[in-house]
Amino acid sequence: MNDTLVTLVGNAATGVEFRETATGGMARFRFAVTPRRWDREKQLWTDGHTSFYTVWAWRTLALNLSGSVSVGEPLVVHGRLKVREEEREGQHRTFVDIEAVAVGHDLTRGTAAFRRVMRGEPALTARVGRAERPGTPARPEGGTGPDGPDVLRDPGDSGKPDGSGTRRSTGRQKAGQELVSAP
């Protein structure tokens, strides 16, 4: 396969638009990349010309993007470069798209909390909104759980009162315990 693979570092310029299709989920968002250079004469960093790309994602990556990325967040995008040329209303236009293979937050500019999504649990990719009750602090975007922050809990315990649900150990925790992050 002769695809051109690129890795871009920049910011989400728009929110992620997610759509269900016949073959699975599809997501897209605009991505801004601005190079920074050291100006020796002025002795300071200067911004170069900003380039914009449309990032496309499919299936699981699309669903996870829709629950993980907001406008302005720093990202690293890796994928296939696609250049389209179109003529609209007598004007020749060039579009540069990235068909994403992997997308992640840029950890040189902040921290992130990873949550493994198990098949059949789409609620784990939903963005956490405002608190449900007045006076209750909003949950952090990173992770949630019913037992409080950094709680060790039995992997068979779903946190539901009836004890239903199953959890799978990732092999990184001690056997029989799982670290759960909460509000």
Side-chain angles (χ1 to χ4, degrees):
M1 202 164 9
N2 292 329
D3 290 332
T4 303
L5 293 173
V6 295
T7 301
L8 303 170
V9 178
N11 295 308
T14 64
V16 177
E17 297 175 30
F18 178 80
R19 245 183 279 155
E20 233 7 276
T21 66
T23 60
M26 183 276 300
R28 74 174 181 196
F29 66 96
R30 296 285 286 163
F31 189 62
V33 177
T34 305
R36 292 183 57 84
R37 304 211 191 303
W38 179 253
D39 186 336
R40 290 184 186 188
E41 289 180 13
K42 297 178 183 175
Q43 293 293 305
L44 54 94
W45 288 97
T46 58
D47 289 341
H49 176 73
T50 301
S51 298
F52 289 91
Y53 303 87
T54 301
V55 177
W56 297 86
W58 304 96
R59 294 173 283 289
T60 304
L61 178 57
L63 183 62
N64 291 344
L65 272 173
S66 69
S68 302
V69 174
S70 296
V71 175
E73 291 183 343
L75 301 173
V76 177
V77 174
H78 180 73
R80 292 174 196 86
L81 181 67
K82 308 280 184 178
V83 178
R84 296 181 290 123
E85 295 184 12
E86 295 180 9
E87 189 156 333
R88 290 185 185 172
E89 300 169 8
Q91 291 184 343
H92 182 73
R93 298 185 56 143
T94 302
F95 299 94
V96 182
D97 299 337
I98 307 296
E99 189 177 311
V101 172
V103 178
H105 286 98
D106 182 358
L107 298 181
T108 61
R109 299 193 286 164
T111 63
F114 179 78
R115 292 177 291 167
R116 184 174 304 276
V117 177
M118 294 183 204
R119 293 178 194 249
E121 292 188 50
L124 292 177
T125 59
R127 291 295 275 191
V128 178
R130 295 184 195 164
E132 288 118 35
R133 292 175 288 176
T136 307
R139 295 180 189 179
E141 301 276 339
T144 61
D147 300 323
D150 299 327
V151 174
L152 285 173
R153 138 165 78 142
D154 180 54
D157 179 10
S158 68
K160 298 177 186 173
D162 63 353
S164 64
T166 59
R167 293 199 174 265
R168 183 177 68 197
S169 173
T170 61
R172 288 180 267 175
Q173 293 91 16
K174 292 181 183 178
Q177 294 181 337
E178 181 176 355
L179 181 64
V180 177
S181 131

